Amino acid sequence: MARYLDVHPVNPQERLVAQASAIIRDQGLVAYPSDSGYALGCALDNVAGRQRIIEIRRLDDKHHFTLMCADFAQMGQYVDMSNATFRALKACTPGPYTFILKATPEVPRKLANAKKNTVGVRISSDVLVQALLRELGEPMLSSTLILPGEQTPMTDGWAVKEELDHVVDVVIDTGECGLEPTTVVDLSGPQAQVVRVGAGDPAPFE
C-alpha cells in the first residue's frame, strides 16, 4: 500500500519532503504532481523503478525518459547544449516543456534512447517539485503519468492513490496540479522538431 503525503502547495512541509526524498533514495517509486499533471519518479540508478514505470505505462523501447532537473547547472551535467540551444531553453524554462537532447556519459546507459543516445530533460516551475529536487540533490528519472489507453495525465491525488496503490511506494498530493502534459521538443538534430504539443507554446520551436 502506497504512503499518502498531503503536502502544502505553496509551502511544502520540510518533514514530508524529506520523507518522500528518503523513499526515492531507498529505490522507491513516487507519484507526484507537477505543473503538467502527475508524473512517476525514481532515482537515476533505480533500475527496478525504471522497469516499474515501463510496466505501469506499458512503454516501448522508443520512449524517452525525462530527467527532472532543479536548474540549468544540474541539467548541463547530463545533456550537451550549444550556446544557441541554451538560449532557446533559457527563454522558456522553467515551464511546461520537455526537451530531447544528446546525453552525456553522466546519464546511465539504460536511461538514454538506445539508438539516438538522447534523453528528455525539463525544469518544472512547480514548488513541490523544486523542493523535492533540492532535497534529493540530483535529477529524478521521471515520466508523465498517462495510463495505457489515456491521452492526458492523471491530475487528482486520491484517484492516483486508488489506481496505483499497490504499484507505487508513495503518492504526494498538493491539491494543485497542471492539467496538460508538457510540450515535447527534440533539439538533438540540426533543426528543432515539436514531438508533442502540450501546455507549452510550441511557436518558438516551429
Side-chain angles (χ1 to χ4, degrees), residues 24 29-42 53 56-57 63 66-68 98 122 124 126 128-129 132 140-147 152-157 160 164 168 170-173 176-178 180-182 196:
I24 294 169
L29 180 62
V30 60
Y32 67 95
S34 76
D35 54 344
S36 57
Y38 263 81
L40 297 168
C42 66
I53 294 173
I56 291 169
R57 293 203 53 200
H63 180 73
T66 297
L67 304 186
M68 184 71 80
T98 298
R122 71 172 301 230
S124 174
D126 188 88
L128 177 274
V129 176
L132 198 57
M140 183 165 52
L141 177 66
S142 187
S143 182
T144 305
L145 181 44
I146 301 175
L147 292 177
T152 56
M154 299 189 75
T155 58
D156 179 78
V160 173
L164 303 179
V168 301
V170 60
V171 175
I172 302 175
D173 192 352
E176 294 186 1
C177 191
E180 287 187 86
T182 58
R196 180 181 73 194

Side-chain angles (χ1 to χ4, degrees), residues 9-58:
V10 178
N11 297 299
Q13 301 93 318
E14 292 182 8
R15 173 179 57 86
L16 298 182
V17 172
Q19 285 181 25
S21 298
I23 291 171
I24 294 169
R25 287 194 197 95
D26 290 340
Q27 305 295 286
L29 180 62
V30 60
Y32 67 95
S34 76
D35 54 344
S36 57
Y38 263 81
L40 297 168
C42 66
L44 294 185
D45 62 353
N46 188 347
V47 177
R50 173 183 175 274
Q51 185 59 37
R52 289 165 71 185
I53 294 173
I54 289 172
E55 292 173 359
I56 291 169
R57 293 203 53 200
R58 297 181 193 167

Side-chain angles (χ1 to χ4, degrees), residues 72-99:
F72 276 100
Q74 200 173 74
M75 184 185 288
Q77 299 176 48
Y78 296 91
V79 291
D80 289 323
M81 287 185 287
S82 66
N83 289 336
T85 298
F86 175 82
R87 288 193 296 270
L89 268 63
K90 192 75 172 176
C92 56
T93 299
Y97 293 90
T98 298
F99 299 101

Side-chain angles (χ1 to χ4, degrees), residues 110-129:
K110 284 186 173 293
L111 301 188
N113 182 276
K115 293 183 179 179
K116 298 181 179 180
N117 191 37
T118 51
V119 68
V121 289
R122 71 172 301 230
I123 299 173
S124 174
S125 60
D126 188 88
V127 175
L128 177 274
V129 176

